[in-house]
Amino acid sequence: MTHEQTTGTDQSFILNRFGYFIAILTTGLTALTFGIALMTPPLSGPFCTEGCYEYPYSDIASRFPRDYLWMYPAILLTLVYLIFMVCVYNYAPRDRKLFGQLGVAFSGIATLTLVADYFIQLSVIQPSLLNGETDGIALLTQYNPHGIFIALEELGYLLMSVSFLFIAFTYSRKDRLEQISRWVLLAGFWLTVLSLALISVTLGIHREYIFELAVISIDWLVLLTIGVLQSILFKKALRKQALTGERDLAPV
């Protein structure tokens, strides 16, 4: 084996091993974030039943940090999602790299949008309220069902679903697991488009955070599923390398 072949084999082994752990981490973080978010009751908008906050949302200081806890793992999950997409891009065969590049590009924009959105909530809203600086809070706070926070979340998760669309085409139709992964990603994208269309037609500008909840649920369910599937694919690649003797494989 030449030096170039050895180097390529080493890089492939590192990619598969690193990708395996990132896929597992993506699944675990998605489950954790989803669970915490589900246990955070809505205190404004159409799904609020009692103790609801209303405009101008100047009395929400007591809800920190309880209602913001889910944002910490959400930030970490979003960053890990970007790393995961890079791993999937590098896993893809050479003739499908273009789709992978497009998927990574959209995932980068989605990550920037969502991380900035969550960071603003954690670093701006509470300090401003404690200092009596309430100007602009109503437009920025997560409690405003048609505010900037909700709009940026919708945009971020829409972009995430677009990244799913492109990354889906990096998977082969010949391997069963890859074919399932492909359909899971495509289903996530089309469900997002369908939900946006239906909610927009039904509710128009009064959709508030209903589409936001729908797109987050769809995207996180896709991440849960694709994380498991891709971890199996990385594990299979590692076992294949061990069987072919390309690299001595330590236990995973």
Side-chain angles (χ1 to χ4, degrees):
M1 184 179 291
T2 66
H3 173 71
E4 289 78 9
Q5 290 173 322
T6 302
T7 302
T9 300
D10 288 344
Q11 290 176 343
S12 178
F13 174 82
I14 292 170
L15 164 65
N16 291 327
R17 192 172 180 84
F18 179 73
Y20 171 79
F21 288 113
I22 289 297
I24 294 295
L25 182 59
T26 301
T27 302
L29 278 174
T30 305
L32 174 65
T33 308
F34 214 162
I36 296 175
L38 288 173
M39 291 187 292
T40 304
L43 293 176
S44 64
F47 295 145
C48 180
T49 56
E50 58 182 40
C52 304
Y53 292 98
E54 297 182 358
Y55 183 89
Y57 312 104
S58 57
D59 53 346
I60 59 176
S62 62
R63 299 306 302 177
F64 189 91
R66 170 66 180 86
D67 288 358
Y68 297 79
L69 290 177
W70 68 275
M71 294 186 190
Y72 292 98
I75 289 175
L76 182 58
L77 168 61
T78 308
L79 294 172
V80 170
Y81 142 76
L82 176 58
I83 298 172
F84 174 72
M85 295 294 276
V86 173
C87 290
V88 175
Y89 159 73
N90 281 282
Y91 175 82
R94 185 173 300 176
D95 61 340
R96 296 178 184 268
K97 292 290 187 185
L98 173 61
F99 299 110
Q101 286 179 325
L102 291 170
V104 170
F106 276 99
S107 65
I109 304 171
T111 297
L112 179 60
T113 302
L114 292 170
V115 170
D117 195 24
Y118 295 142
F119 194 77
I120 288 171
Q121 290 296 308
L122 296 171
S123 301
V124 174
I125 302 301
Q126 185 68 5
S128 296
L129 288 172
L130 292 177
N131 286 286
E133 301 164 357
T134 58
D135 289 348
I137 291 296
L139 196 60
L140 290 172
T141 180
Q142 65 169 324
Y143 296 99
N144 186 339
H146 45 264
I148 290 176
F149 173 80
I150 300 298
L152 287 177
E153 267 203 316
E154 289 180 342
L155 175 60
Y157 286 103
L158 270 171
L159 290 168
M160 184 181 290
S161 70
V162 174
S163 76
F164 293 158
L165 170 67
F166 286 112
I167 213 74
F169 292 106
T170 65
Y171 289 100
S172 168
R173 293 181 178 178
K174 298 178 181 179
D175 181 271
R176 182 171 177 78
L177 269 180
E178 290 199 22
Q179 188 176 36
I180 294 173
S181 300
R182 183 187 182 101
W183 282 113
V184 166
L185 291 163
L186 289 174
F189 170 76
W190 288 115
L191 281 174
T192 296
V193 172
L194 181 61
S195 64
L196 176 60
L198 288 176
I199 293 171
S200 297
V201 169
T202 304
L203 301 175
I205 62 173
H206 302 293
R207 69 173 186 258
E208 300 197 329
Y209 54 64
I210 294 176
F211 173 66
E212 176 236 14
L213 293 178
V215 70
I216 288 176
S217 299
I218 292 169
D219 283 0
W220 283 354
L221 286 172
V222 169
L223 281 179
L224 272 172
T225 308
I226 201 66
V228 172
L229 292 171
Q230 187 61 48
S231 69
I232 297 173
L233 288 170
F234 280 127
K235 188 70 173 289
K236 284 177 62 178
L238 286 167
R239 286 175 176 168
K240 182 178 179 180
Q241 285 182 311
L243 291 173
T244 56
E246 291 181 359
R247 170 100 184 209
D248 292 334
L249 181 62
V252 176

